[in-house]
Amino acid sequence: ARISTFTRTVVFTGIENVTVPAGTFACARLDESFVGTGGATTRTRWFGPNVGLVQFQAPGELQQLTSVTGNPTGRARSVAVRK
């Protein structure tokens, strides 16, 4: 069996306004880096309050929130993501 090891680093880089098809959200930005025997890569995730994941970006990939349906609690009930 082949054993792979990697190191994952996650850094909170601040709050950013992110505009996606579902609107503009004040999001926490998290930058992730992975380094291992198979190489290295990075990706970034933006999370909005009461919504969750608003945008995800990795090499050759972008996913964005396209819609949010609210409910009386103020939390998102359903979301759609565009790839």
Side-chain angles (χ1 to χ4, degrees), residues 42-63:
T42 60
R43 60 188 184 190
T44 302
R45 296 174 194 257
W46 290 265
F47 291 92
N50 299 321
V51 178
L53 183 64
V54 171
Q55 183 167 276
F56 170 83
Q57 188 171 11
E61 182 177 6
L62 176 64
Q63 297 179 13

Side-chain angles (χ1 to χ4, degrees), residues 2-82:
R2 180 175 170 226
I3 298 175
S4 297
T5 61
F6 69 92
T7 300
R8 175 182 177 210
T9 303
V10 180
V11 178
F12 169 73
T13 58
I15 303 295
E16 297 180 358
N17 286 327
V18 177
T19 301
V20 296
T24 299
F25 301 88
C27 295
R29 177 180 171 159
L30 299 176
D31 290 334
E32 300 176 275
S33 62
F34 298 86
V35 179
T37 54
T41 190
T42 60
R43 60 188 184 190
T44 302
R45 296 174 194 257
W46 290 265
F47 291 92
N50 299 321
V51 178
L53 183 64
V54 171
Q55 183 167 276
F56 170 83
Q57 188 171 11
E61 182 177 6
L62 176 64
Q63 297 179 13
Q64 296 180 313
L65 186 67
T66 58
S67 65
V68 176
T69 302
N71 65 26
T73 66
R75 294 195 176 270
R77 182 174 50 205
S78 66
V79 296
V81 176
R82 175 179 66 185

